[in-house]
Amino acid sequence: MNYPFINQFIRIGLVSFVFLVSCAKNDELILNDELEVTSSKNTVTSQKNSNSSDMNLASILHYNINVRDFSKSRKFYELLGFVATIDLNINVTDPEEAQGLNLPPYSLKTTPLVLFDRFVIDLIKFNDPYDDAPPHTDETALGISTLSLKSSCVWCDMKLLKRNGYTYELLAGNSLNPKKIRVQDPDGNIIYIHQVYDGNVPNIFGKGSVNGLYSTNINVSDLGTAIEFYSEIGFEILSMENGVADIGLRDGRKITLTESDSELMPYEKLNHLGIARIAINSDDLDSDIAALHAKGIQTYSPEAIKPTGPFSFIRYVAFEDPDGTVIELVQNTLF
């Protein structure tokens, strides 16, 4: 028998569990060792963030990736090692709620895809409004143009990709001992997969060996301006050299800012195909919104948005960095 109420309750419970785990303050499966080595060798003490105390950013939560073919893209990321939780249909009819993403009222299909280290991709197919413009395939394009993941067995991933009809480029190592490969998802988004020997067990939940987030790269037009901005919103400067800077939050995951002279700008709207935005956990969203406004940083909505439907247990606000890359601050209201 079909019990719609029970099925919906289970769906909401599964989604809540994913976000509860992903928003945990003490993530023990992060790349602490890698971050500590980078920080100890390359820390630029004069660039330490002195303004981070008035912001409450805790950890990188997820990427949002907009796709053409939901089923095809979901199968690709599951092939890599992501685990899909539940498919959800979201219909936002309230213009004030839609303004939280700087969009008119919209409808979409989504599923959170989770890796072994609890990193999440929010896979989205916008139904209305739909923008079929292709994502940037130029790695130097401003914004988040690539996704870098770590794997316990890149050689295994290569074989799996080949069997399923996906081509890849070997960038480091050799065919018997690969260290880094480049592959494109069904929409052309660039994915890097790195061999990382960090003591983590192989991915026993997904099909492939990808088990965590390696790094996040954001291309910026002016590194100095970007460093100042990200310092103001709570990031610590870990290193800076030759047009590249590593910045971090207290969860140990890092973001790399890379200076680029590309004329390709971040996507104007958040329904554009590709990696549209990055979400970051906030421990005190109202305080962070007030701090952003005090710094002259405008948010899409004047106050935090509390979504209707299955994601009603979170609150969020979105804004742009100096080049237009969209950052979303998210707070879980259940704890």
Side-chain angles (χ1 to χ4, degrees):
M1 297 181 67
N2 186 24
Y3 297 96
F5 176 79
I6 295 177
N7 291 340
Q8 180 66 10
F9 180 80
I10 293 173
R11 286 176 175 231
I12 294 173
L14 284 170
V15 174
S16 300
F17 173 76
V18 170
F19 276 84
L20 278 169
V21 171
S22 301
C23 294
K25 296 180 180 178
N26 297 314
D27 188 350
E28 297 179 356
L29 296 175
I30 57 179
L31 300 177
N32 276 330
D33 292 341
E34 177 185 335
L35 180 62
E36 288 171 2
V37 171
T38 302
S39 180
S40 63
K41 289 183 178 180
N42 301 311
T43 298
V44 181
T45 55
S46 63
Q47 294 289 338
K48 286 285 186 177
N49 177 23
S50 61
N51 298 322
S52 61
S53 60
D54 65 350
M55 296 289 291
N56 301 277
L57 278 60
S59 60
I60 296 174
L61 175 58
H62 62 74
Y63 288 92
N64 284 75
I65 301 182
N66 300 329
V67 302
R68 288 188 183 91
D69 186 320
F70 189 84
S71 177
K72 187 175 182 180
S73 293
R74 171 175 164 165
K75 288 178 180 178
F76 169 82
Y77 285 101
E78 287 179 321
L79 186 68
L80 292 184
F82 285 86
V83 177
T85 53
I86 196 70
D87 294 345
L88 295 165
N89 293 300
I90 307 295
N91 187 30
V92 175
T93 59
D94 182 356
E96 291 188 6
E97 181 178 341
Q99 183 58 37
L101 297 182
N102 196 29
L103 289 172
Y106 58 84
S107 63
L108 56 83
K109 184 176 183 178
T110 181
T111 187
L113 296 164
V114 188
L115 280 178
F116 187 74
D117 73 340
R118 306 175 197 170
F119 176 68
V120 177
I121 283 178
D122 196 5
L123 202 68
I124 294 175
K125 167 63 168 65
F126 273 92
N127 297 316
D128 183 40
Y130 176 68
D131 182 354
D132 65 353
H136 297 322
T137 55
D138 183 348
E139 298 174 38
T140 68
L142 298 179
I144 311 168
S145 59
T146 62
L147 174 62
S148 291
L149 303 170
K150 61 171 185 162
S151 172
S152 61
C153 182
V154 173
W155 183 86
C156 304
D157 297 323
M158 289 165 51
K159 300 301 179 184
L160 191 61
L161 287 166
K162 185 175 181 179
R163 285 200 304 269
N164 286 272
Y166 291 99
T167 60
Y168 57 83
E169 180 182 0
L170 179 62
L171 301 178
N174 54 56
S175 58
L176 296 178
N177 186 25
K179 302 296 184 181
K180 180 181 177 181
I181 63 172
R182 178 185 186 271
V183 65
Q184 290 181 297
D185 77 0
D187 292 301
N189 291 300
I190 299 167
I191 313 293
Y192 289 113
I193 303 176
H194 302 253
Q195 180 73 53
V196 176
Y197 302 101
D198 60 359
N200 282 351
V201 299
N203 185 0
I204 60 175
F205 299 110
K207 296 178 182 178
S209 300
V210 170
N211 57 21
L213 176 67
Y214 183 81
S215 67
T216 301
N217 183 78
I218 299 178
N219 293 324
V220 300
S221 60
D222 184 88
L223 186 61
T225 300
I227 286 175
E228 181 179 0
F229 174 84
Y230 283 95
S231 295
E232 285 185 346
I233 67 171
F235 283 87
E236 181 182 9
I237 309 305
L238 304 174
S239 66
M240 182 175 63
E241 185 177 5
N242 298 327
V244 177
D246 284 338
I247 60 177
L249 295 172
R250 63 179 183 266
D251 71 335
R253 287 176 173 149
K254 68 178 181 180
I255 288 177
T256 299
L257 303 175
T258 303
E259 191 166 80
S260 171
D261 59 3
S262 175
E263 296 182 358
L264 293 173
M265 302 299 293
Y267 307 129
E268 184 177 354
K269 291 295 184 180
L270 286 179
N271 63 329
H272 194 291
L273 294 176
I275 307 173
R277 67 187 188 270
I278 184 171
I280 298 172
N281 284 320
S282 168
D283 290 338
D284 189 340
L285 187 58
D286 291 326
S287 175
D288 284 343
I289 292 173
L292 289 171
H293 292 169
K295 298 173 191 296
I297 300 171
Q298 297 302 308
T299 53
Y300 286 161
S301 55
E303 298 179 345
I305 297 294
K306 185 177 177 63
T308 55
F311 294 118
S312 60
F313 59 90
I314 68 167
R315 299 167 69 240
Y316 75 90
V317 71
F319 56 97
E320 299 177 3
D321 80 356
D323 292 301
T325 300
V326 177
I327 301 167
E328 179 184 6
L329 301 187
V330 181
Q331 183 172 24
N332 191 317
T333 62
L334 296 183
F335 60 86

